[in-house]
Amino acid sequence: MHIALIFRILGMLLMMFSLTLFTPIAVSLWYGDGVYPAFFVAFAITAVSGALMWMPTAKRQADLRTRDGFLITSLFWAVLGLFGALPFLLAPNPELTVSDAVFESLSGLTTTGATVITGLDDLPKSILFYRQQLQWLGGIGIIVIAVAILPMLGIGGMQLYRAETPGPVKDSKLTPRIAETAKALFLVYVLLTATCAIAYWAAGMSSFDAICHAFSTIAIGGFSTHDASIGYFNSPAIMLIACLYMMIAGINFALHFYALRQSSYRHYIRDSESRFFVYTILGAAVIVATYLILNNTYSVNEGLLHGLFQTISIATTAGFVTADFSAWPSFLPFLLILLSFMGGCAGSTGGGMKAVRVMLMTKQGVRELSQLVHPHAVIPLKVGNRRVEAKVVSAVWSFFAVYIFAFIVILFLLMATGLDYTSAFSAVAATINNLGPGLGEVATSYGGISAPAKWILCFSMLLGRLEIFTLIVLFTPAFWRQ
């Protein structure tokens, strides 16, 4: 393992991250909210720390291997999450503890969207912008790692997409071609963000709100500049725009890259995962909207609108809200929370287990039923026209088993801190799936839970964002053995 090279990369990341603090500094100066000194101090600490990590290793050259990839990928969010908490700690408003600041920072960077802050409408503009920027930066980091790196690491069946990534070559090295992939994906990401911001602005948002919400929509983060989230605007047009862009951001960004490069939409239609993702969400939206209307919770028009919006928002793990879905009747709140376990497609900014894994497990279940009826038949498992190797299916089921095991352990730990079952269950689901809002005590804010519970949920956010195995493998003796 190339420890020196890993420090060099982390140092570069910190120095690059420090430069992004100039944007909220500019926002602070523009609006005159007086918070810019906190960002200047945070910039200095982050830049100096990055330089101290980078300078001793600046001339080291070596090929990064798979184990290096696991460590860098895990440290990417852990380190930036800690340094990203500095502005929250240093700013006079909001006054956050270390636990709260780290929670808010990691929630932003992992695009979870869970918050410990209330009174967003009264926060300084620069802090509001910084929260949204954290999600946007985390989103592009997720895209690059999910499309360019995780398939090469073979994380829980993601090697299925190795042949479809637009950049890296298929070997065990993290090659310079990842830089080419990153540039292409960044271009797609920026274009989608820009068009989303323009659409929000045209629908009636202020330019500040439009940019901020475009950041969190494309990142599928869910942070808002208002306590009432998207519901603050009370606009069907804004809700429908959000639905469209949440769905777009929930689809594999490699497909967006191909669509732009070849000026064709055939890839979306031919991609099995995208079809499964869209059909599942729309089917669930029909159930939710129908029940809301039949139960007289909303009128027909409102039921259709809120049912569609809230289903897409929760299923893609964006976490925007227009109504208190935790108070919806009967099974609906739990149905929506369970939908977040699927999340977005592989290579998207969405959280959850990813649609491709759920699709493969569903296909495997159907195949097993057919095999019971025809025990001597040879029934291959296919995604599209490609046969899926047994080791990929095995990896997916292993991922699912570890996912559920981690969920149960974290659930027990949270309940040990004093949370009731409903709040604990939804809090784990909301963090490990990078969703944000939960039920019970965490329906609107996580500020009321204990500090140990917040640290447990910080780990849960990292675990979910890093596809479980990437983080857990660091705790195995085999990983560190020479």
Side-chain angles (χ1 to χ4, degrees):
M1 191 177 301
H2 304 97
I3 299 297
L5 201 57
I6 291 169
F7 269 92
R8 175 189 171 196
I9 292 172
L10 287 176
M12 290 173 63
L13 279 172
L14 280 178
M15 288 189 289
M16 290 170 61
F17 179 72
S18 71
L19 296 177
T20 66
L21 295 175
F22 282 108
T23 319
I25 287 172
V27 172
S28 178
L29 292 172
W30 178 266
Y31 286 99
D33 61 19
V35 184
Y36 66 90
F39 287 106
F40 268 121
V41 175
F43 159 75
I45 294 172
T46 306
V48 170
S49 299
L52 291 175
M53 294 174 69
W54 175 77
M55 284 190 295
T57 59
K59 296 182 180 180
R60 299 289 180 90
Q61 297 291 334
D63 288 328
L64 289 175
R65 297 287 177 174
T66 301
R67 287 202 300 173
D68 302 320
F70 281 114
L71 193 55
I72 290 171
T73 305
S74 298
L75 289 174
F76 178 86
W77 272 284
V79 172
L80 292 188
L82 293 174
F83 280 89
L86 289 174
F88 295 123
L89 281 172
L90 298 169
N93 184 19
E95 296 181 5
L96 298 183
T97 63
V98 173
S99 299
D100 286 347
V102 173
F103 184 96
E104 196 76 12
S105 175
L106 275 175
S107 180
L109 284 168
T110 59
T111 72
T112 300
T115 184
V116 294
I117 302 174
T118 54
L120 295 174
D121 301 81
D122 300 320
L123 281 185
K125 294 285 190 183
S126 56
I127 291 293
L128 290 173
F129 183 87
Y130 178 64
R131 292 170 75 248
Q132 308 300 111
Q133 180 178 274
L134 280 177
Q135 292 204 323
W136 193 77
L137 293 173
I140 185 58
I142 290 159
I143 293 297
V144 172
I145 287 175
V147 175
I149 297 175
L150 290 186
M152 299 174 68
L153 301 181
I155 298 295
M158 289 300 98
Q159 61 267 48
L160 181 68
Y161 276 85
R162 182 181 297 183
E164 298 186 6
T165 55
V169 296
K170 294 174 280 185
D171 60 15
S172 62
K173 298 179 185 176
L174 303 184
T175 70
R177 293 191 64 186
I178 288 179
E180 300 171 23
T181 305
K183 290 176 185 176
L185 294 172
F186 184 70
L187 175 63
V188 173
Y189 195 70
V190 170
L191 284 173
L192 286 175
T193 305
T195 57
C196 183
I198 292 169
Y200 276 146
W201 177 77
M205 281 190 184
S206 68
S207 55
F208 179 81
D209 279 341
I211 293 170
C212 288
H213 284 86
F215 279 1
S216 54
T217 302
I218 300 304
I220 306 191
F223 273 165
S224 177
T225 54
H226 304 281
D227 285 324
S229 190
I230 296 294
Y232 170 86
F233 302 99
N234 194 27
S235 166
I238 287 174
M239 289 170 66
L240 291 174
I241 290 168
C243 286
L244 172 63
Y245 278 95
M246 284 187 289
M247 289 294 288
I248 291 172
I251 292 174
N252 190 340
F253 269 64
L255 294 178
H256 299 325
F257 171 81
Y258 287 133
L260 280 178
R261 188 174 67 176
Q262 300 180 8
S263 300
S264 171
Y265 297 97
R266 288 178 301 168
H267 294 289
Y268 298 112
I269 300 170
R270 285 158 43 184
D271 184 68
S272 300
E273 184 190 20
S274 297
R275 293 200 306 270
F276 179 83
F277 171 72
V278 172
Y279 292 155
T280 301
I281 291 180
L282 292 183
V286 169
I287 295 171
V288 172
T290 301
Y291 197 87
L292 287 172
I293 294 167
L294 294 178
N295 201 262
N296 295 318
T297 305
Y298 294 109
S299 65
V300 173
N301 289 339
E302 287 184 327
L304 290 172
L305 190 60
H306 286 290
L308 178 68
F309 179 89
Q310 215 57 71
T311 302
I312 292 176
S313 178
I314 302 301
T316 59
T317 73
F320 287 124
V321 293
T322 55
D324 183 10
F325 75 92
S326 66
W328 281 359
S330 189
F331 62 91
L332 293 186
F334 280 96
L335 172 63
L336 292 174
I337 291 292
L338 289 176
L339 278 173
S340 72
F341 280 84
M342 178 184 76
C345 297
S348 74
T349 51
M353 291 190 292
K354 301 297 181 292
V356 66
R357 293 193 181 103
V358 177
M359 179 183 69
L360 282 174
M361 289 189 291
T362 304
K363 285 178 175 285
Q364 173 73 355
V366 172
R367 187 180 76 164
E368 289 301 317
L369 289 174
S370 299
Q371 201 79 57
L372 287 174
V373 179
H374 306 287
H376 301 295
V378 178
I379 307 172
L381 183 63
K382 289 187 175 182
V383 172
N385 296 319
R386 290 188 300 142
R387 185 169 180 164
V388 180
E389 297 178 23
K391 67 178 183 180
V392 174
V393 179
S394 175
V396 169
W397 280 106
S398 298
F399 176 90
F400 178 72
V402 176
Y403 200 91
I404 297 301
F405 179 76
F407 185 97
I408 292 170
V409 170
I410 297 171
L411 173 63
F412 287 161
L413 290 173
L414 271 190
M415 292 179 70
T417 67
L419 274 182
D420 63 276
Y421 175 77
T422 299
S423 300
F425 179 91
S426 64
V428 181
T431 51
I432 202 169
N433 294 327
N434 304 121
L435 165 63
L439 307 174
E441 290 185 43
V442 294
T444 55
S445 171
Y446 288 71
I449 64 177
S450 65
K454 289 169 185 169
W455 285 104
I456 292 168
L457 291 176
C458 282
F459 179 79
S460 181
M461 286 187 273
L462 283 174
L463 198 64
R465 180 44 68 200
L466 295 171
E467 305 278 334
I468 306 293
F469 284 150
T470 313
L471 185 57
I472 286 182
V473 74
L474 302 184
F475 297 94
T476 62
F479 178 84
W480 301 100
R481 202 172 292 136
Q482 293 297 328

